[in-house]
Amino acid sequence: MVEWDVIVVGAGNAAFCAALAASESGARVLMLERAPKEENGGNSRFTAGAIRFAYDGVDDLRAIMPDLTDEEVAMTDFGTYTESQFFDDMFRVTEFRSDPDLCEALVRQSQGTMCWMHGLGIRFVPIYGRQAFKIDGKFKFWGGLTVETWGGGPGLVDRLTEIATKRGIEIRYNARVVSLVHDGHAVQGVKVKTRTAIEEVHAKTVILACGGFESNAEWRTRYLGPGWELARTRGSRFNTGDGLRIALDIGASPAGNWSGCHAVGWDRNAPEFGDLAVGDGFQKHSYPFGIMVNATGRRFVDEGADFRNYTYAKYGRVILEQPNQFAWQIFDQKVLHTLRDEYRIKQVSKVTAPTLEELAEKLEGVNAANFLDEVRRYNEAVNTDIPFNANVKDGRSTVGLEIPKSNWANTIDEGPFEAYQVGCGITFTFGGLRIDPQTAQVLDVDLEPIPGLYTAGEMVGGLFYFNYPGGTGLMSGAVFGKMAGTAAAAAVNEK
């Protein structure tokens, strides 16, 4: 019987980083992916590829993007995103609940991990299309996000797969891990269900990197609460909590925000699970430049509270809590040029009208009279003395409204008007397993390390609470994946 050094469960960004780090340390690595090959990659395949990390200036960016030209540098204000800024964003959006040791590992190791990924052969490029507006002939990045992976999530997964295969890492698809082989003390492998049988595969260490439970409607209702079975799943249909379940079954300690998740405004008529042909296109993230109304015709959230990077991951929950679980995003001609490309896909729930009165009649499920009154009150409250600037939190706000708009407030008065219907799309769940922040080894309910068991990616509990800074998921997966792979290989070498 073949015994592997390291088994990695999953085949997304975190799993590949774990596998490659272990392989670099000399371990014989097997990856087990539940999905068929054409759907491999977990949620990583569905992401747009943005990745958040700390950098002090353009020289740090050129270290991972050596093909960045002098002309691009001259026409772009990349700014900085220091470790201090990263820490501030993490603790602010998680309401200071992010585990400080996990957060420190994430932030301090982010730049080094990016350099390591570049060294593996991952290509990064500036996010000109979604994170920078051109003002006076110069692009300016905002919101702490500057870099994305070439080809987005699909490009990242395909490239990681290519690199892993060339390095001799075996990947088995249609291989669902149903339990851990555990002798009461240490993990010694896994039981795998294939299309024909269930078999034991032995290894000296196991790394679980197979996502949360967002694709499991029953678990969503159990842990997130009533109504969450009505949300759409943005990504992989295979993330049903298997990794969490099998770890908890042997006494692993749960940790983090089990009633919380990353959930966004998602096209109202999107399918139940992610569609690889559309990818991330069902998201609708330009709401800071318009207004959102619910079925009663009223605004229900401060659309301009912050850059969308810091609000989009929590506003999906707010939309789900509205009557009939939907909202409409409203834009007029003044801001249509700011809408992201996802507003232009064919599969979009959209209505247009030359006047607000005609638009009101087309907003399915909305109280038309209330909507017109709401827009009138909103328009009267906009402080037009402050200039609009999409690149910064411009302070152009409303005055006197029960629900303010703190930035980017423009009157809705120039037709034709466009409206987009959104529901809630869940990306990943925040609850996970408790780990040693230096090794990513899983701890048991007595807070003792479980020999032979490590985890990474969305399965790490305690990092995110309530909300999430955009682009941190891929970074977390890479940092803790690399950590888990290195530590697992070291444990093998010690045996």
Side-chain angles (χ1 to χ4, degrees), residues 454-468:
Y454 301 80
T455 197
E458 295 169 5
M459 293 184 60
V460 172
L463 196 57
F464 304 121
Y465 289 79
F466 311 121
N467 196 6
Y468 154 103

Side-chain angles (χ1 to χ4, degrees), residues 120-186:
L120 290 175
I122 303 301
R123 183 181 177 191
F124 300 104
V125 294
I127 320 177
Y128 283 118
R130 304 192 311 279
Q131 288 294 141
F133 293 108
K134 196 170 189 178
I135 305 293
D136 297 327
K138 193 165 188 174
F139 287 99
K140 180 179 176 60
F141 279 89
W142 47 268
L145 270 179
T146 311
V147 173
E148 65 184 343
T149 56
W150 176 261
L156 174 63
V157 171
D158 290 344
R159 181 63 178 140
L160 285 168
T161 303
E162 179 184 0
I163 295 166
T165 302
K166 286 182 178 178
R167 296 196 177 194
I169 295 171
E170 183 175 333
I171 308 169
R172 298 180 188 172
Y173 299 99
N174 296 299
R176 181 178 185 176
V177 173
V178 294
S179 64
L180 293 165
V181 178
H182 183 243
D183 65 0
H185 172 65

Side-chain angles (χ1 to χ4, degrees), residues 335-446:
V335 298
L336 291 186
H337 68 283
T338 68
L339 299 192
R340 291 154 52 102
D341 289 344
E342 67 227 26
Y343 286 82
R344 301 175 183 90
I345 66 171
K346 292 181 179 179
Q347 306 91 332
V348 64
S349 301
K350 171 186 176 182
V351 296
T352 62
T355 68
L356 286 169
E357 289 74 17
E358 290 173 277
L359 185 72
E361 297 302 320
K362 291 185 176 183
L363 299 180
E364 184 179 354
V366 173
N367 183 308
N370 283 356
F371 166 72
L372 292 172
D373 177 65
E374 187 75 356
V375 174
R376 177 188 60 77
R377 293 175 65 246
Y378 168 80
N379 284 344
E380 291 173 354
V382 172
N383 181 359
T384 57
D385 292 337
I386 299 174
F388 171 74
N389 185 343
N391 276 319
V392 298
K393 289 195 283 187
D394 60 7
R396 184 180 168 103
S397 60
T398 58
V399 179
L401 295 181
E402 298 88 346
I403 299 176
K405 185 168 185 184
S406 301
N407 295 282
W408 310 297
N410 284 300
T411 53
I412 309 291
D413 55 11
E414 291 185 20
F417 303 92
E418 294 185 1
Y420 298 81
Q421 192 178 34
V422 293
C424 173
I426 181 170
T427 312
F428 67 90
T429 45
F430 290 160
L433 305 177
R434 192 180 305 274
I435 65 168
D436 181 319
Q438 304 302 318
T439 63
Q441 187 169 8
V442 177
L443 306 184
D444 67 17
V445 291
D446 295 319

